[in-house]
Every structure is written in structure tokens, then in C-alpha cells.
Amino acid sequence: QVQLVESGGGLVQAGGSLRLSCAASGSIFSVNVMAWYRQAPGNEREWVAAISAGGSTNYAGSVKDRFTISRDNVQNTMYLQMNSLKPEDTAVYYCNKHRARTYDYWGQGTQVTVSS
């Protein structure tokens, strides 16, 4: 049984920082590449960052140089360090395997709100 629990979101001012955590259980963390996604109201879910089991990372252009993705393969946890936050980063953030589909299992996400 797969479970994904995101945490660490909150309300911050522009320029602030947050560290999101993803606790995974089941087989999902066994896949090679995990990722963070986000969805703002009225928008489709978008990919934010990905990390392989070996630590290779990729980022969406909108967050590159501001966000850092990391993972702990022993604890089955993944993190997203978010710095220099902007109002446009406001969204619900989700973790999942890379290339997850709408019909896949998704957690509840964690809300990130960045004020001006």
C-alpha cells in the first residue's frame, strides 16, 4: 500500500524560505526517480523538480537556482528546500514518482502560500 505524506508548507512573505518534506511508504520510493509537483488554483499540476536514486537532479526553469531537491533513500524521505520564494510559487505541493499520472495515487499535498 503506497502512502505519500507531504509536510512543511505554510504562509511566508516573498523572499522567505520553506523546507518541504515527503514521507513515502510502500514501493513507490523504490523507483529510480522521484519528483515534486505543484498545483495552483485553476491551474494544472506541474512538475517542479526531480531526483534520481543516485542524486542526479533536474528543475523546472521557474524554480532553478532557488529550490533544491534532495532525498534520503534509507528513511524513504524527500525534501524540497525553497528559497527566495515568490508569490507565483503559491500552490499545493505534492511528491510522487517522476512521470506520475492523474490516475496514480497522490497524497494530500502541502499548501505553500507566498505573500507580497
Side-chain angles (χ1 to χ4, degrees), residues 3-7 21-25 29 36 75-78 95:
Q3 183 171 242
L4 295 165
V5 180
E6 300 92 345
S7 62
S21 297
C22 170
S25 62
F29 220 77
W36 284 96
Q75 296 295 321
N76 286 356
T77 55
M78 185 169 63
C95 61

Side-chain angles (χ1 to χ4, degrees), residues 12-86:
V12 298
Q13 293 186 338
S17 298
L18 285 173
R19 183 176 175 84
L20 307 184
S21 297
C22 170
S25 62
S27 63
I28 193 165
F29 220 77
S30 297
V31 302
N32 186 47
V33 185
M34 293 292 292
W36 284 96
Y37 304 81
R38 67 186 182 187
Q39 186 170 25
N43 291 6
E44 295 184 349
R45 196 181 345 248
E46 65 175 336
W47 169 78
V48 174
I51 184 167
S52 72
S56 297
T57 60
N58 289 100
Y59 299 90
S62 58
V63 307
K64 185 175 174 60
D65 300 324
R66 298 189 298 118
F67 293 7
T68 302
I69 187 172
S70 60
R71 64 190 287 172
D72 183 331
N73 294 330
V74 176
Q75 296 295 321
N76 286 356
T77 55
M78 185 169 63
Y79 306 93
L80 186 68
Q81 179 66 47
M82 310 165 68
N83 298 326
S84 302
L85 284 163
K86 304 175 180 179

